[in-house]
Amino acid sequence: MRRAIVFLDWDTARRIVPCSGIQTADVNRAARQIEQVFISLQGIIASHLTALDAKSLFRVRWRLYHGWYSGKSKTFDYRAIDRFLQDAGTIAIKNVSFGNDIEVAASMLIGGKRMPLYDTVRQLEEPDGKKKIRQKMVDTSLICDLLQSSRTARDDIHLVYGNDDDLLPGIFAAEAWGVNVHMYRPDHGSKYLDTRQIVSVLNGA
């Protein structure tokens, strides 16, 4: 049995699947839409892992990165994920097993007394005076976890879903340490960065 871990930027996930806009105040409806997101992602991940090794059995776990807290209160997205997880089941696609090992990454893998990471969603004032909602510490916590896992579970397959070039230095570091790591994104990013064989662009994302 081989293990794979998916580091998933939730905003990116909602763009690379058909039901991209989860815009509802109904937690139950949002949970059903989240299920469709995971169905699409499971197909992508299974294709990658089967192409990598068609003989071994894989078990996949997930860590989800997003603005999960406004101050110390769980956001609607957090509550919708919690609702989805209540009914999440197990599925196998070819040699790849997907259980309900799906974790909201509100605390970093390394742990510590300063967890969880609160206040990751903030209302900030823009230069034009308008107030907008912004997420904080999402990409950095994802990369911290990727590097921690690269050192402690280096035999696992590490898959990253995100759309920001800020993630790439950490991915390059994991690769340099000899970890099997791959990134999926909806665009190519900077044309000046060499991402051959380590980044795949998802068509239609």
Short mmCIF file of all heavy atoms in Angstrom, two decimals, residues 100-163:
data_model
loop_
_atom_site.label_atom_id
_atom_site.label_comp_id
_atom_site.label_asym_id
_atom_site.label_seq_id
_atom_site.Cartn_x
_atom_site.Cartn_y
_atom_site.Cartn_z
N ASN A 100 -12.58 8.81 3.88
CA ASN A 100 -13.02 10.12 4.35
C ASN A 100 -11.93 10.78 5.20
O ASN A 100 -12.21 11.53 6.13
CB ASN A 100 -14.33 10.03 5.12
CG ASN A 100 -14.23 9.10 6.32
OD1 ASN A 100 -13.19 8.50 6.54
ND2 ASN A 100 -15.30 9.00 7.07
N ASP A 101 -10.67 10.47 4.86
CA ASP A 101 -9.54 11.08 5.55
C ASP A 101 -9.31 12.47 4.95
O ASP A 101 -8.37 12.70 4.18
CB ASP A 101 -8.30 10.20 5.40
CG ASP A 101 -7.16 10.62 6.33
OD1 ASP A 101 -7.31 11.67 6.99
OD2 ASP A 101 -6.13 9.93 6.37
N ILE A 102 -10.23 13.38 5.28
CA ILE A 102 -10.23 14.74 4.75
C ILE A 102 -10.15 15.68 5.94
O ILE A 102 -11.03 15.67 6.80
CB ILE A 102 -11.49 15.03 3.92
CG1 ILE A 102 -11.60 14.03 2.76
CG2 ILE A 102 -11.48 16.46 3.41
CD1 ILE A 102 -12.95 14.06 2.06
N GLU A 103 -9.11 16.48 6.01
CA GLU A 103 -8.87 17.31 7.18
C GLU A 103 -8.85 18.78 6.81
O GLU A 103 -8.13 19.20 5.90
CB GLU A 103 -7.54 16.91 7.83
CG GLU A 103 -7.26 17.62 9.13
CD GLU A 103 -6.00 17.11 9.82
OE1 GLU A 103 -5.29 16.29 9.21
OE2 GLU A 103 -5.74 17.54 10.95
N VAL A 104 -9.64 19.56 7.51
CA VAL A 104 -9.56 21.01 7.40
C VAL A 104 -8.27 21.45 8.08
O VAL A 104 -8.06 21.18 9.27
CB VAL A 104 -10.78 21.68 8.07
CG1 VAL A 104 -10.58 23.18 8.18
CG2 VAL A 104 -12.05 21.36 7.30
N ALA A 105 -7.38 22.08 7.31
CA ALA A 105 -6.05 22.41 7.83
C ALA A 105 -6.09 23.71 8.62
O ALA A 105 -5.46 24.71 8.26
CB ALA A 105 -5.05 22.49 6.68
N ALA A 106 -6.83 23.69 9.72
CA ALA A 106 -6.90 24.86 10.59
C ALA A 106 -5.69 24.94 11.50
O ALA A 106 -5.37 26.00 12.02
CB ALA A 106 -8.18 24.82 11.42
N SER A 107 -5.02 23.81 11.69
CA SER A 107 -3.76 23.75 12.44
C SER A 107 -2.70 23.14 11.55
O SER A 107 -3.00 22.26 10.73
CB SER A 107 -3.91 22.91 13.71
OG SER A 107 -4.83 23.50 14.61
N MET A 108 -1.47 23.58 11.70
CA MET A 108 -0.39 23.06 10.87
C MET A 108 0.02 21.66 11.34
O MET A 108 -0.18 21.29 12.50
CB MET A 108 0.81 24.00 10.90
CG MET A 108 0.52 25.36 10.28
SD MET A 108 2.03 26.35 10.01
CE MET A 108 2.66 26.49 11.68
N LEU A 109 0.60 20.90 10.44
CA LEU A 109 1.01 19.54 10.76
C LEU A 109 2.01 19.48 11.90
O LEU A 109 2.01 18.53 12.69
CB LEU A 109 1.62 18.88 9.51
CG LEU A 109 0.66 18.35 8.45
CD1 LEU A 109 1.44 17.87 7.22
CD2 LEU A 109 -0.21 17.23 8.99
N ILE A 110 2.84 20.48 11.99
CA ILE A 110 3.86 20.46 13.03
C ILE A 110 3.28 20.69 14.41
O ILE A 110 3.90 20.41 15.43
CB ILE A 110 4.97 21.50 12.72
CG1 ILE A 110 6.25 21.18 13.48
CG2 ILE A 110 4.49 22.92 13.00
CD1 ILE A 110 7.46 21.96 13.03
N GLY A 111 2.05 21.20 14.47
CA GLY A 111 1.39 21.42 15.75
C GLY A 111 1.98 22.62 16.50
O GLY A 111 2.41 23.59 15.89
N GLY A 112 1.98 22.54 17.79
CA GLY A 112 2.52 23.62 18.59
C GLY A 112 1.43 24.34 19.37
O GLY A 112 0.24 24.22 19.08
N LYS A 113 1.86 25.13 20.34
CA LYS A 113 0.92 25.77 21.26
C LYS A 113 0.15 26.93 20.64
O LYS A 113 -0.78 27.45 21.25
CB LYS A 113 1.66 26.25 22.50
CG LYS A 113 2.71 27.32 22.22
CD LYS A 113 3.44 27.71 23.50
CE LYS A 113 4.49 28.79 23.24
NZ LYS A 113 5.20 29.15 24.49
N ARG A 114 0.53 27.36 19.42
CA ARG A 114 -0.11 28.53 18.81
C ARG A 114 -1.20 28.17 17.80
O ARG A 114 -1.67 29.01 17.06
CB ARG A 114 0.95 29.42 18.16
CG ARG A 114 2.04 29.82 19.14
CD ARG A 114 3.05 30.79 18.57
NE ARG A 114 4.20 30.90 19.44
CZ ARG A 114 4.27 31.65 20.55
NH1 ARG A 114 3.19 32.36 20.90
NH2 ARG A 114 5.35 31.70 21.29
N MET A 115 -1.54 26.91 17.78
CA MET A 115 -2.59 26.45 16.87
C MET A 115 -3.94 26.47 17.59
O MET A 115 -3.99 26.35 18.82
CB MET A 115 -2.28 25.03 16.39
CG MET A 115 -0.97 24.89 15.61
SD MET A 115 -0.97 25.78 14.04
CE MET A 115 0.22 27.08 14.36
N PRO A 116 -5.07 26.56 16.85
CA PRO A 116 -5.16 26.68 15.39
C PRO A 116 -4.83 28.08 14.89
O PRO A 116 -4.67 29.01 15.69
CB PRO A 116 -6.63 26.31 15.10
CG PRO A 116 -7.35 26.71 16.34
CD PRO A 116 -6.40 26.46 17.48
N LEU A 117 -4.75 28.20 13.57
CA LEU A 117 -4.51 29.49 12.94
C LEU A 117 -5.84 30.23 12.82
O LEU A 117 -6.60 30.02 11.89
CB LEU A 117 -3.88 29.29 11.55
CG LEU A 117 -2.44 28.81 11.52
CD1 LEU A 117 -2.03 28.50 10.08
CD2 LEU A 117 -1.49 29.85 12.12
N TYR A 118 -6.11 31.08 13.78
CA TYR A 118 -7.33 31.87 13.75
C TYR A 118 -7.18 33.08 12.83
O TYR A 118 -6.08 33.40 12.36
CB TYR A 118 -7.67 32.36 15.16
CG TYR A 118 -8.12 31.28 16.11
CD1 TYR A 118 -7.45 31.06 17.31
CD2 TYR A 118 -9.24 30.50 15.82
CE1 TYR A 118 -7.87 30.07 18.19
CE2 TYR A 118 -9.67 29.51 16.70
CZ TYR A 118 -8.98 29.30 17.88
OH TYR A 118 -9.40 28.33 18.75
N ASP A 119 -8.29 33.75 12.58
CA ASP A 119 -8.30 35.03 11.88
C ASP A 119 -7.71 34.94 10.47
O ASP A 119 -6.99 35.83 10.03
CB ASP A 119 -7.55 36.09 12.70
CG ASP A 119 -8.00 37.51 12.37
OD1 ASP A 119 -9.14 37.68 11.89
OD2 ASP A 119 -7.21 38.44 12.58
N THR A 120 -8.04 33.88 9.76
CA THR A 120 -7.53 33.71 8.39
C THR A 120 -8.44 34.35 7.35
O THR A 120 -8.11 34.37 6.17
CB THR A 120 -7.34 32.21 8.06
OG1 THR A 120 -8.51 31.49 8.47
CG2 THR A 120 -6.13 31.65 8.80
N VAL A 121 -9.59 34.88 7.79
CA VAL A 121 -10.45 35.68 6.93
C VAL A 121 -10.63 37.04 7.60
O VAL A 121 -11.04 37.12 8.75
CB VAL A 121 -11.84 35.03 6.72
CG1 VAL A 121 -12.76 35.96 5.95
CG2 VAL A 121 -11.70 33.72 5.97
N ARG A 122 -10.29 38.10 6.85
CA ARG A 122 -10.34 39.44 7.44
C ARG A 122 -11.00 40.43 6.48
O ARG A 122 -10.86 40.31 5.26
CB ARG A 122 -8.94 39.93 7.77
CG ARG A 122 -8.17 39.02 8.70
CD ARG A 122 -6.76 39.50 8.94
NE ARG A 122 -5.97 38.47 9.60
CZ ARG A 122 -4.66 38.58 9.83
NH1 ARG A 122 -4.02 39.67 9.47
NH2 ARG A 122 -4.01 37.60 10.42
N GLN A 123 -11.66 41.40 7.06
CA GLN A 123 -12.21 42.49 6.27
C GLN A 123 -11.20 43.64 6.32
O GLN A 123 -10.97 44.25 7.36
CB GLN A 123 -13.56 42.94 6.82
CG GLN A 123 -14.27 43.95 5.94
CD GLN A 123 -15.63 44.34 6.48
OE1 GLN A 123 -15.72 44.94 7.54
NE2 GLN A 123 -16.69 43.99 5.76
N LEU A 124 -10.58 43.91 5.18
CA LEU A 124 -9.53 44.92 5.11
C LEU A 124 -9.97 46.09 4.23
O LEU A 124 -10.72 45.91 3.26
CB LEU A 124 -8.25 44.30 4.54
CG LEU A 124 -7.70 43.08 5.31
CD1 LEU A 124 -6.48 42.53 4.59
CD2 LEU A 124 -7.35 43.47 6.74
N GLU A 125 -9.48 47.26 4.56
CA GLU A 125 -9.81 48.45 3.78
C GLU A 125 -8.81 48.61 2.65
O GLU A 125 -7.59 48.62 2.88
CB GLU A 125 -9.82 49.69 4.67
CG GLU A 125 -10.31 50.93 3.95
CD GLU A 125 -10.55 52.10 4.88
OE1 GLU A 125 -11.10 51.87 5.99
OE2 GLU A 125 -10.19 53.23 4.51
N GLU A 126 -9.31 48.72 1.43
CA GLU A 126 -8.49 48.91 0.25
C GLU A 126 -8.10 50.39 0.11
O GLU A 126 -8.68 51.26 0.75
CB GLU A 126 -9.25 48.46 -1.00
CG GLU A 126 -9.66 46.99 -0.97
CD GLU A 126 -8.47 46.06 -1.05
OE1 GLU A 126 -7.60 46.26 -1.92
OE2 GLU A 126 -8.40 45.13 -0.22
N PRO A 127 -7.10 50.69 -0.74
CA PRO A 127 -6.70 52.10 -0.95
C PRO A 127 -7.85 53.00 -1.40
O PRO A 127 -7.84 54.20 -1.11
CB PRO A 127 -5.63 51.99 -2.04
CG PRO A 127 -5.04 50.62 -1.86
CD PRO A 127 -6.21 49.77 -1.44
N ASP A 128 -8.84 52.43 -2.10
CA ASP A 128 -9.97 53.23 -2.55
C ASP A 128 -11.04 53.43 -1.46
O ASP A 128 -12.08 54.03 -1.69
CB ASP A 128 -10.62 52.62 -3.79
CG ASP A 128 -11.13 51.19 -3.55
OD1 ASP A 128 -11.09 50.74 -2.39
OD2 ASP A 128 -11.54 50.54 -4.52
N GLY A 129 -10.76 52.91 -0.26
CA GLY A 129 -11.69 53.08 0.84
C GLY A 129 -12.71 51.97 0.99
O GLY A 129 -13.38 51.88 2.02
N LYS A 130 -12.82 51.13 -0.02
CA LYS A 130 -13.77 50.03 0.05
C LYS A 130 -13.21 48.91 0.93
O LYS A 130 -12.00 48.67 0.95
CB LYS A 130 -14.07 49.50 -1.35
CG LYS A 130 -14.79 50.50 -2.25
CD LYS A 130 -15.08 49.91 -3.61
CE LYS A 130 -15.81 50.89 -4.50
NZ LYS A 130 -16.07 50.33 -5.86
N LYS A 131 -14.11 48.22 1.62
CA LYS A 131 -13.69 47.10 2.45
C LYS A 131 -13.93 45.80 1.71
O LYS A 131 -15.00 45.58 1.16
CB LYS A 131 -14.44 47.12 3.79
CG LYS A 131 -14.04 48.29 4.67
CD LYS A 131 -14.67 48.20 6.05
CE LYS A 131 -14.18 49.33 6.93
NZ LYS A 131 -14.76 49.26 8.29
N LYS A 132 -12.92 44.95 1.71
CA LYS A 132 -13.01 43.68 1.01
C LYS A 132 -12.55 42.55 1.93
O LYS A 132 -11.73 42.75 2.83
CB LYS A 132 -12.16 43.69 -0.27
CG LYS A 132 -12.66 44.69 -1.31
CD LYS A 132 -11.87 44.58 -2.60
CE LYS A 132 -12.41 45.56 -3.64
NZ LYS A 132 -11.64 45.49 -4.92
N ILE A 133 -13.09 41.37 1.67
CA ILE A 133 -12.71 40.19 2.43
C ILE A 133 -11.43 39.60 1.84
O ILE A 133 -11.34 39.37 0.64
CB ILE A 133 -13.83 39.13 2.42
CG1 ILE A 133 -15.12 39.73 2.99
CG2 ILE A 133 -13.41 37.89 3.20
CD1 ILE A 133 -15.01 40.16 4.43
N ARG A 134 -10.45 39.36 2.68
CA ARG A 134 -9.18 38.80 2.24
C ARG A 134 -8.81 37.61 3.12
O ARG A 134 -9.06 37.62 4.33
CB ARG A 134 -8.07 39.85 2.30
CG ARG A 134 -8.24 41.00 1.31
CD ARG A 134 -7.86 40.53 -0.09
NE ARG A 134 -7.90 41.64 -1.03
CZ ARG A 134 -8.79 41.77 -2.00
NH1 ARG A 134 -9.74 40.86 -2.12
NH2 ARG A 134 -8.75 42.78 -2.83
N GLN A 135 -8.18 36.61 2.51
CA GLN A 135 -7.67 35.47 3.26
C GLN A 135 -6.19 35.71 3.58
O GLN A 135 -5.46 36.28 2.78
CB GLN A 135 -7.81 34.19 2.45
CG GLN A 135 -9.25 33.80 2.18
CD GLN A 135 -9.36 32.46 1.50
OE1 GLN A 135 -8.79 31.47 1.94
NE2 GLN A 135 -10.10 32.43 0.41
N LYS A 136 -5.79 35.25 4.74
CA LYS A 136 -4.41 35.42 5.19
C LYS A 136 -3.84 34.08 5.64
O LYS A 136 -4.54 33.26 6.22
CB LYS A 136 -4.35 36.43 6.35
CG LYS A 136 -4.74 37.85 5.97
CD LYS A 136 -3.72 38.44 5.01
CE LYS A 136 -4.07 39.87 4.65
NZ LYS A 136 -3.08 40.46 3.72
N MET A 137 -2.57 33.87 5.38
CA MET A 137 -1.78 32.73 5.87
C MET A 137 -2.15 31.40 5.20
O MET A 137 -1.73 30.34 5.68
CB MET A 137 -1.88 32.59 7.40
CG MET A 137 -1.41 33.82 8.15
SD MET A 137 -1.53 33.64 9.95
CE MET A 137 -3.30 33.80 10.20
N VAL A 138 -2.90 31.43 4.13
CA VAL A 138 -3.35 30.19 3.50
C VAL A 138 -2.21 29.51 2.73
O VAL A 138 -1.88 28.35 2.97
CB VAL A 138 -4.56 30.45 2.57
CG1 VAL A 138 -4.95 29.17 1.83
CG2 VAL A 138 -5.75 30.96 3.38
N ASP A 139 -1.59 30.24 1.80
CA ASP A 139 -0.49 29.66 1.02
C ASP A 139 0.69 29.28 1.90
O ASP A 139 1.31 28.22 1.70
CB ASP A 139 -0.02 30.63 -0.06
CG ASP A 139 -1.03 30.80 -1.19
OD1 ASP A 139 -1.95 29.95 -1.29
OD2 ASP A 139 -0.91 31.76 -1.96
N THR A 140 1.02 30.13 2.87
CA THR A 140 2.18 29.83 3.70
C THR A 140 1.95 28.62 4.59
O THR A 140 2.87 27.81 4.80
CB THR A 140 2.55 31.05 4.57
OG1 THR A 140 1.37 31.56 5.21
CG2 THR A 140 3.17 32.15 3.74
N SER A 141 0.74 28.45 5.10
CA SER A 141 0.48 27.27 5.92
C SER A 141 0.50 26.00 5.07
O SER A 141 0.98 24.95 5.52
CB SER A 141 -0.85 27.40 6.67
OG SER A 141 -1.94 27.55 5.79
N LEU A 142 0.01 26.09 3.83
CA LEU A 142 0.07 24.94 2.92
C LEU A 142 1.52 24.52 2.69
O LEU A 142 1.87 23.33 2.78
CB LEU A 142 -0.63 25.27 1.61
CG LEU A 142 -0.83 24.14 0.59
CD1 LEU A 142 -1.97 24.48 -0.37
CD2 LEU A 142 0.42 23.82 -0.22
N ILE A 143 2.38 25.49 2.40
CA ILE A 143 3.78 25.17 2.12
C ILE A 143 4.50 24.68 3.36
O ILE A 143 5.32 23.74 3.29
CB ILE A 143 4.50 26.39 1.49
CG1 ILE A 143 4.04 26.56 0.05
CG2 ILE A 143 6.01 26.22 1.53
CD1 ILE A 143 4.28 25.35 -0.85
N CYS A 144 4.21 25.27 4.52
CA CYS A 144 4.80 24.76 5.75
C CYS A 144 4.46 23.28 5.94
O CYS A 144 5.31 22.46 6.32
CB CYS A 144 4.33 25.57 6.96
SG CYS A 144 5.09 27.20 7.11
N ASP A 145 3.20 22.93 5.69
CA ASP A 145 2.77 21.54 5.84
C ASP A 145 3.42 20.64 4.79
O ASP A 145 3.79 19.50 5.08
CB ASP A 145 1.25 21.44 5.73
CG ASP A 145 0.55 21.84 7.02
OD1 ASP A 145 1.24 22.13 8.02
OD2 ASP A 145 -0.69 21.86 7.04
N LEU A 146 3.53 21.13 3.56
CA LEU A 146 4.18 20.34 2.52
C LEU A 146 5.62 20.01 2.93
O LEU A 146 6.07 18.86 2.80
CB LEU A 146 4.17 21.10 1.20
CG LEU A 146 4.99 20.48 0.06
CD1 LEU A 146 4.41 19.14 -0.37
CD2 LEU A 146 5.10 21.44 -1.12
N LEU A 147 6.35 21.00 3.43
CA LEU A 147 7.74 20.78 3.80
C LEU A 147 7.85 19.88 5.04
O LEU A 147 8.74 19.02 5.11
CB LEU A 147 8.43 22.12 4.04
CG LEU A 147 8.53 23.01 2.79
CD1 LEU A 147 9.22 24.33 3.14
CD2 LEU A 147 9.27 22.31 1.65
N GLN A 148 6.93 20.06 5.99
CA GLN A 148 6.93 19.18 7.16
C GLN A 148 6.68 17.73 6.74
O GLN A 148 7.37 16.80 7.18
CB GLN A 148 5.87 19.65 8.16
CG GLN A 148 5.60 18.70 9.31
CD GLN A 148 6.75 18.62 10.31
OE1 GLN A 148 7.73 19.36 10.20
NE2 GLN A 148 6.64 17.74 11.29
N SER A 149 5.69 17.52 5.87
CA SER A 149 5.38 16.17 5.41
C SER A 149 6.52 15.61 4.57
O SER A 149 6.80 14.41 4.61
CB SER A 149 4.09 16.18 4.59
OG SER A 149 3.74 14.89 4.17
N SER A 150 7.19 16.46 3.82
CA SER A 150 8.32 16.01 2.99
C SER A 150 9.44 15.46 3.85
O SER A 150 10.17 14.56 3.41
CB SER A 150 8.84 17.18 2.15
OG SER A 150 7.86 17.61 1.22
N ARG A 151 9.59 15.96 5.05
CA ARG A 151 10.64 15.48 5.94
C ARG A 151 10.20 14.27 6.75
O ARG A 151 11.02 13.41 7.08
CB ARG A 151 11.09 16.60 6.90
CG ARG A 151 11.61 17.85 6.22
CD ARG A 151 12.79 17.59 5.26
NE ARG A 151 13.97 17.10 5.94
CZ ARG A 151 14.96 17.88 6.36
NH1 ARG A 151 14.89 19.19 6.20
NH2 ARG A 151 16.02 17.35 6.94
N THR A 152 8.92 14.20 7.12
CA THR A 152 8.46 13.14 8.03
C THR A 152 7.77 11.98 7.30
O THR A 152 7.63 10.90 7.87
CB THR A 152 7.49 13.70 9.08
OG1 THR A 152 6.36 14.29 8.41
CG2 THR A 152 8.17 14.77 9.93
N ALA A 153 7.31 12.22 6.06
CA ALA A 153 6.63 11.17 5.29
C ALA A 153 7.14 11.22 3.85
O ALA A 153 6.37 11.29 2.90
CB ALA A 153 5.11 11.36 5.35
N ARG A 154 8.44 11.15 3.72
CA ARG A 154 9.06 11.41 2.42
C ARG A 154 8.74 10.35 1.38
O ARG A 154 8.89 10.57 0.18
CB ARG A 154 10.57 11.59 2.56
CG ARG A 154 11.33 10.43 3.16
CD ARG A 154 12.82 10.75 3.27
NE ARG A 154 13.40 11.13 1.99
CZ ARG A 154 13.80 12.37 1.70
NH1 ARG A 154 13.66 13.34 2.58
NH2 ARG A 154 14.33 12.62 0.53
N ASP A 155 8.27 9.18 1.80
CA ASP A 155 7.90 8.14 0.84
C ASP A 155 6.50 8.33 0.27
O ASP A 155 6.12 7.66 -0.70
CB ASP A 155 8.01 6.75 1.48
CG ASP A 155 9.45 6.37 1.79
OD1 ASP A 155 10.36 6.88 1.11
OD2 ASP A 155 9.66 5.57 2.73
N ASP A 156 5.72 9.23 0.85
CA ASP A 156 4.38 9.50 0.33
C ASP A 156 4.45 10.26 -0.99
O ASP A 156 5.43 10.97 -1.26
CB ASP A 156 3.56 10.33 1.33
CG ASP A 156 3.15 9.53 2.55
OD1 ASP A 156 3.56 8.36 2.68
OD2 ASP A 156 2.41 10.09 3.38
N ILE A 157 3.41 10.13 -1.80
CA ILE A 157 3.25 10.97 -2.97
C ILE A 157 2.60 12.27 -2.51
O ILE A 157 1.56 12.25 -1.85
CB ILE A 157 2.37 10.30 -4.04
CG1 ILE A 157 2.84 8.87 -4.32
CG2 ILE A 157 2.34 11.14 -5.32
CD1 ILE A 157 4.25 8.76 -4.84
N HIS A 158 3.20 13.41 -2.85
CA HIS A 158 2.69 14.71 -2.42
C HIS A 158 2.11 15.44 -3.62
O HIS A 158 2.81 15.72 -4.60
CB HIS A 158 3.81 15.54 -1.78
CG HIS A 158 4.28 15.00 -0.47
ND1 HIS A 158 5.02 13.83 -0.36
CD2 HIS A 158 4.12 15.46 0.79
CE1 HIS A 158 5.28 13.60 0.92
NE2 HIS A 158 4.75 14.58 1.64
N LEU A 159 0.81 15.75 -3.56
CA LEU A 159 0.12 16.45 -4.64
C LEU A 159 -0.41 17.78 -4.12
O LEU A 159 -1.04 17.83 -3.06
CB LEU A 159 -1.04 15.61 -5.17
CG LEU A 159 -0.66 14.23 -5.73
CD1 LEU A 159 -1.91 13.46 -6.14
CD2 LEU A 159 0.29 14.37 -6.91
N VAL A 160 -0.13 18.84 -4.87
CA VAL A 160 -0.54 20.19 -4.48
C VAL A 160 -1.53 20.71 -5.52
O VAL A 160 -1.29 20.62 -6.72
CB VAL A 160 0.67 21.13 -4.38
CG1 VAL A 160 0.22 22.56 -4.06
CG2 VAL A 160 1.66 20.63 -3.34
N TYR A 161 -2.63 21.28 -5.03
CA TYR A 161 -3.58 21.96 -5.90
C TYR A 161 -3.63 23.43 -5.49
O TYR A 161 -4.05 23.76 -4.39
CB TYR A 161 -4.98 21.35 -5.78
CG TYR A 161 -5.11 20.06 -6.54
CD1 TYR A 161 -4.59 18.88 -6.03
CD2 TYR A 161 -5.73 20.03 -7.78
CE1 TYR A 161 -4.70 17.70 -6.73
CE2 TYR A 161 -5.85 18.84 -8.48
CZ TYR A 161 -5.32 17.68 -7.94
OH TYR A 161 -5.43 16.52 -8.65
N GLY A 162 -3.18 24.30 -6.39
CA GLY A 162 -3.18 25.73 -6.10
C GLY A 162 -2.91 26.50 -7.38
O GLY A 162 -2.57 25.92 -8.40
N ASN A 163 -3.06 27.82 -7.31
CA ASN A 163 -2.88 28.60 -8.53
C ASN A 163 -1.93 29.76 -8.35
O ASN A 163 -1.93 30.70 -9.13
CB ASN A 163 -4.23 29.13 -9.04
CG ASN A 163 -4.84 30.16 -8.10
OD1 ASN A 163 -4.50 30.19 -6.92
ND2 ASN A 163 -5.73 30.99 -8.61
#
